[in-house]
Amino acid sequence: PKNLRDDAQFAIPQFVLRGGHMHTFVAPNAAQDDSGADPNNPLAAMMADKSSDLPKLFKAWGIEYDPKKVVLDRARALPISAGEGQAPVRHPAILGLTQADLNHDDVLTANLDSINVSSAGYFELSKDAKDETLTPLIQTTSDAEAVPGDRLRMLRDPSSLLADYKPAGAPFVIAARLTGKFRTAFPERKDAGALKESKDAGGQIVLVADTDILSDRMWVQIRPFFGQNVMNAFANNGDFAVNALDNMAGSSDLISIRGRATSQRPFTTVEALKRSADERFRAKEQELQQELSETERKLTALQSAKSQDQAQILSPEQKTELDNFLKRKLEIRKELRQVRRQLDAEIESLGTRLKILNIVLMPLLVTLAALAFAWWRNQRRRAAQGARA
């Protein structure tokens, strides 16, 4: 919903107040929103407002949602392509939420394994909420923070989002089930048959603070195969949407056979190693950038002290300062490469240990167990023969 008129925002809750169910998607930055696209002015499309909101409804139902805030989570950041020939870069606004981030007590997400979102917002229950209850369905980890959505516009390097990163220490709710006794957002209207509040507290609303969750790119690969498109799901976004529609339509009999876990099982230890290496890599990059800024400041100060005739000539002090910086720059680049090599060595060492465990240790344990069992049977047989004798 974008810029809905008051009549629409009045009609929607009237349906809910009469017992209807509601499933709504809003987003602070919808990548699939092309309403501002102009082929003659690409910059205008990039700068267009791609947020959506239902401010009057959310306020009436005790929901706090800021369409200008985007959630980042470095613990769930997915790698994206940085360009041809370049290594993938983790994007803290594109999240791969795992089984641990889903509510397994709710039928919508009980059997799901992973949900991918992009530039998502978050919901909170207002302090002024009366009869409403907000039950999280999908949420981030505690290592997440909320930042202004403007930081994602014209973003070239996703890792720049991690500058001055300050985790909130608590998860952000991206999708939730809102229940309770709902009220109209327009109590002043006197339309014929209009209700002021629902008759009971059994109202059901599913809220999702992301619209890109519905786009194919977030959960399914489509590949041509002998003239037909074959779809391979790598996340449960589609299952979540279908589960919610089935549940909100009132039919929950078949919900148990939907949304089974995908076969994808991430290597969590390897992912943790990569995250650690990325953090060390960024720290070295920031160190290099700070030294570059300091060197430029010193060079500028030396330059301003020279006369106009000598402005184009490097002084001995400037040359020494520049040489020192270039030397330090080479050292830091070597350290950056060493961080990458160390990551590869750690992953390779982990793989070697797993191979030894699977190829040598496990067969050895099985062999020892078989020998022990054979010895035990032999001893029983001898004992039985001795008893008969």
Side-chain angles (χ1 to χ4, degrees), residues 118-135:
S118 175
S119 306
Y122 64 96
F123 298 109
E124 292 180 312
L125 195 63
S126 171
K127 296 179 181 179
D128 300 329
K130 299 179 181 179
D131 304 317
E132 296 84 4
T133 300
L134 190 71
T135 304

Side-chain angles (χ1 to χ4, degrees), residues 16-34:
V16 176
L17 298 183
R18 288 181 169 82
H21 297 160
M22 180 177 173
H23 189 17
T24 184
F25 296 81
V26 292
N29 186 22
Q32 300 299 310
D33 181 8
D34 59 356

Side-chain angles (χ1 to χ4, degrees), residues 193-208:
L195 299 179
K196 299 296 182 183
E197 62 180 20
S198 54
K199 296 180 180 180
D200 54 50
Q204 294 280 344
I205 297 174
V206 172
L207 301 171
V208 184

Side-chain angles (χ1 to χ4, degrees), residues 40-211:
N40 298 321
N41 190 0
L43 183 61
M46 296 177 65
M47 301 303 296
D49 183 12
K50 297 185 177 182
S51 64
S52 50
D53 191 9
L54 290 170
K56 295 184 178 180
L57 271 65
F58 289 161
K59 183 178 180 180
W61 294 340
I63 294 296
E64 290 187 359
Y65 164 76
D66 189 346
K68 303 301 181 184
K69 288 288 185 69
V70 171
V71 172
L72 306 181
D73 190 344
R74 60 186 176 186
R76 295 291 184 261
L78 289 176
I80 65 169
S81 175
E84 188 175 354
Q86 299 183 26
V89 179
R90 292 186 174 275
H91 199 311
I94 302 179
L95 311 180
L97 302 170
T98 67
Q99 199 174 38
D101 309 314
L102 308 179
N103 184 351
H104 293 280
D105 295 326
D106 193 288
V107 69
L108 266 65
T109 50
N111 295 324
L112 305 186
D113 234 12
S114 63
I115 298 288
N116 294 338
V117 299
S118 175
S119 306
Y122 64 96
F123 298 109
E124 292 180 312
L125 195 63
S126 171
K127 296 179 181 179
D128 300 329
K130 299 179 181 179
D131 304 317
E132 296 84 4
T133 300
L134 190 71
T135 304
L137 297 175
I138 305 172
Q139 56 187 358
T140 67
T141 68
S142 299
D143 193 26
E145 72 163 345
V147 300
D150 290 341
R151 288 185 60 182
L152 272 69
R153 293 183 180 179
M154 303 182 69
L155 181 68
R156 293 184 178 181
D157 181 11
S159 62
S160 64
L161 294 172
L162 296 173
D164 301 323
Y165 192 89
K166 296 178 181 178
F172 291 92
V173 177
I174 294 177
R177 185 191 290 270
L178 182 66
T179 58
K181 191 172 184 179
F182 303 129
R183 294 165 179 79
T184 179
F186 298 88
E188 72 282 357
R189 292 189 60 155
K190 307 295 184 182
D191 300 51
L195 299 179
K196 299 296 182 183
E197 62 180 20
S198 54
K199 296 180 180 180
D200 54 50
Q204 294 280 344
I205 297 174
V206 172
L207 301 171
V208 184
D210 182 41
T211 57

Side-chain angles (χ1 to χ4, degrees), residues 276-318:
S276 175
D278 285 341
E279 291 174 4
R280 283 179 284 167
F281 193 84
R282 280 193 302 273
K284 289 295 181 183
E285 283 184 323
Q286 290 176 359
E287 181 182 344
L288 177 61
Q289 188 60 43
Q290 289 173 358
E291 292 193 15
L292 173 61
S293 300
E294 181 64 18
T295 300
E296 289 178 345
R297 187 190 65 78
K298 291 180 180 179
L299 290 175
T300 302
L302 292 171
Q303 188 73 8
S304 60
K306 294 164 60 177
S307 64
Q308 188 173 2
D309 295 338
Q310 297 178 333
Q312 303 300 322
I313 303 174
L314 288 176
S315 66
E317 294 87 351
Q318 285 179 312

